[in-house]
Amino acid sequence: MPESVWVAQSDPRVRPLLADLAREYSTRYHRVLNDVHFELREYPADRFAAPEGGLLLLVRDGHAVAGGAFQRYDGETAELKRIWTHRAHRGRGLARRVVAELEAEAAHRGYRRIFLTTGPNQPEARGLYLATGYTPHFDVDAVPTTRLPFSKALPAPVGAR
């Protein structure tokens, strides 16, 4: 079972996540790989740092096998970003675990809702969010052509008043 580790975006173990997401996005959306990787790498790292955000990796044998992040969207809402599972580890429920751990940490930090979007060419992500209780804010029967927004209410953290 991979270990959960909260890290800074500058942690070297984050590099495979960013590089693989850049490859995925450039392949699915025909964008120039260097431009996509630059956006992922250069997105303000402090957006994914405590207390308003977090970046989680699932690590096995010293290597990231899955991960994701959240950042502040507004005063009550965290936005999930960069949900990723290494190709060799897909189909094992790791993305569900990443989403659940991100949700739990966001709730612990006082957020009451989650918002996220995924691209129209990411049916795996769409399925993940529908299967984990997210409300779609788009016509699920239409062929997607734009970003797909989702939201979910978070339960109050254990011990909260």
Side-chain angles (χ1 to χ4, degrees):
M1 166 103 44
E3 172 188 10
S4 297
V5 181
W6 292 93
V7 298
Q9 184 169 296
S10 60
D11 188 303
R13 294 172 294 182
V14 176
R15 289 186 198 134
L17 178 151
L18 297 176
D20 202 29
L21 284 175
R23 271 191 300 281
E24 288 278 332
Y25 295 164
S26 65
T27 299
R28 292 179 192 228
Y29 299 106
H30 307 292
R31 294 183 60 195
V32 176
L33 181 64
N34 289 338
D35 291 344
V36 174
H37 194 254
F38 179 81
E39 283 180 27
L40 287 167
R41 190 181 66 244
E42 297 303 320
Y43 203 87
D46 63 336
R47 299 289 303 262
F48 302 115
E52 294 185 338
L55 201 157
L56 172 73
L57 293 178
L58 300 184
V59 177
R60 175 178 281 145
D61 299 325
H63 300 284
V65 297
F70 71 91
Q71 65 181 1
R72 179 184 194 80
Y73 185 75
D74 64 31
E76 293 186 342
T77 310
E79 180 180 18
L80 296 191
K81 305 290 279 182
R82 302 180 175 173
I83 308 303
W84 166 81
T85 303
H86 188 283
R87 282 188 187 118
H89 298 276
R90 292 183 182 164
R92 300 178 186 174
L94 296 177
R96 280 181 183 254
R97 180 174 160 198
V98 166
V99 168
E101 290 193 34
L102 291 171
E103 290 172 357
E105 184 63 21
H108 176 75
R109 303 253 188 103
Y111 291 110
R112 299 291 166 244
R113 292 176 24 93
I114 295 284
F115 173 78
L116 63 89
T117 61
T118 193
N121 296 341
Q122 294 175 274
E124 308 91 343
R126 179 183 181 204
L128 170 67
Y129 303 129
L130 290 171
T132 54
Y134 281 80
T135 300
H137 299 284
F138 57 91
D139 181 352
V140 294
D141 296 321
V143 174
T145 59
T146 61
R147 295 198 61 76
L148 307 175
F150 292 86
S151 67
K152 184 178 186 179
L154 293 174
V158 175
R161 296 180 183 195

